[in-house]
Amino acid sequence: MATIRLGDIAPNFTAMSTEGMINFHEWLGDSWGVLFSHPADYTPVCTTELGTVARYKSQFDKRNVKVVALSVDSVESHHGWVKDINETQFTTVNFPIIADEDRKVSELYDMIHPNASENHTVRSVFVIGDDKKVKLTITYPASTGRNFDELLRVIDSLQLTAYHKVATPANWVNGDDCVVVPSVATADIPAMFPKGFKEVKPYLRMTPQPNLD
């Protein structure tokens, strides 16, 4: 079981889901992706998470991000659980949930941590770029639900910094000023960042977010 590190190509797999058979790389196409795992079906925290993702799906869509969940239970179990999610979370699950009964995907992505559980996945999150490379990994314990506002914030930062020579400071949200990366010489900033910049220190140069009008 290999550890997946940032910058690695996300391992491809073929698996059954609530929306049929998925070849992960083909399913992603030229989109970004979020793959996130759940300890088991019919668990309370997971139920709230999947309902939240369903409500947020339009936010992922506008960022060209496809979302897919995974649990070690069967497709039949997933379909029954989806009915509960829709009922209790007042939404409609609108993305696939992978059935990983043989644990192949869980092991491929190192989602089972024996010190937490021998049989169930922890709350793993993988953000995958349109180049199929892993851009972010987060692992939560089974008892702690994920913050999907934070996940969207991170995706905004990842997509911004992938295409512009900036980084995002602490607590940055979409629309805030950005840090000019150290590899850009101060003399070159005016040509690259016509909105202007502020030199706080020679190594700390701030500029308005470059991809906003």
Side-chain angles (χ1 to χ4, degrees):
M1 186 185 300
T3 299
I4 296 175
R5 294 183 170 88
L6 301 184
D8 287 350
I9 296 292
N12 195 24
F13 59 83
T14 300
M16 185 58 70
S17 79
T18 52
E19 296 184 2
M21 190 66 72
I22 285 179
N23 176 292
F24 188 49
H25 283 192
E26 290 180 3
W27 178 79
L28 283 174
D30 60 1
S31 298
W32 287 59
V34 172
L35 170 64
F36 60 110
S37 60
H38 298 271
D41 291 0
Y42 297 103
T43 49
V45 176
C46 299
T47 299
T48 66
E49 288 185 322
L50 292 181
T52 298
V53 172
R55 291 193 297 273
Y56 278 39
K57 187 168 182 296
S58 63
Q59 293 295 319
F60 288 107
D61 288 345
K62 78 178 187 179
R63 292 166 171 83
N64 190 34
V65 177
K66 291 183 175 180
V67 294
V68 58
L70 175 146
S71 173
V72 295
D73 294 308
S74 67
V75 168
E76 291 74 21
S77 175
H78 288 356
H79 281 303
W81 185 29
V82 164
K83 293 178 182 178
D84 280 5
I85 296 166
N86 293 342
E87 176 189 345
T88 63
Q89 305 304 303
F90 308 104
T91 189
T92 300
V93 172
N94 45 17
F95 54 89
I97 305 173
I98 292 166
D100 193 35
E101 291 182 276
D102 58 10
R103 314 292 198 269
K104 284 186 177 179
V105 181
S106 301
E107 292 179 2
L108 190 62
Y109 278 80
D110 193 19
M111 292 172 169
I112 295 177
H113 293 195
N115 288 337
S117 171
E118 290 284 352
N119 301 313
H120 297 128
T121 56
V122 291
R123 296 185 196 284
S124 299
V125 182
F126 297 88
V127 175
I128 298 155
D130 53 6
D131 56 2
K132 306 294 189 296
K133 292 183 179 180
V134 175
K135 306 298 184 183
L136 172 83
T137 63
I138 308 176
T139 301
Y140 295 78
S143 57
T144 301
R146 285 164 276 218
N147 185 323
F148 290 96
D149 289 318
E150 166 63 4
L151 197 54
L152 289 171
R153 186 193 77 87
V154 172
I155 290 169
D156 284 340
S157 173
L158 289 169
Q159 294 184 338
L160 168 66
T161 58
Y163 306 119
H164 300 274
K165 292 184 180 298
V166 294
T168 56
N171 294 339
W172 175 91
V173 294
N174 197 33
D176 287 353
D177 287 354
C178 303
V179 175
V180 179
V181 296
S183 61
V184 175
T186 299
D188 296 333
I189 292 177
M192 297 179 65
F193 300 98
K195 294 180 181 180
F197 74 102
K198 178 182 179 181
E199 184 177 298
V200 182
K201 290 286 184 180
Y203 61 86
L204 178 56
R205 293 85 47 87
M206 306 298 296
T207 189
Q209 184 171 327
N211 64 344
L212 295 180
D213 294 331

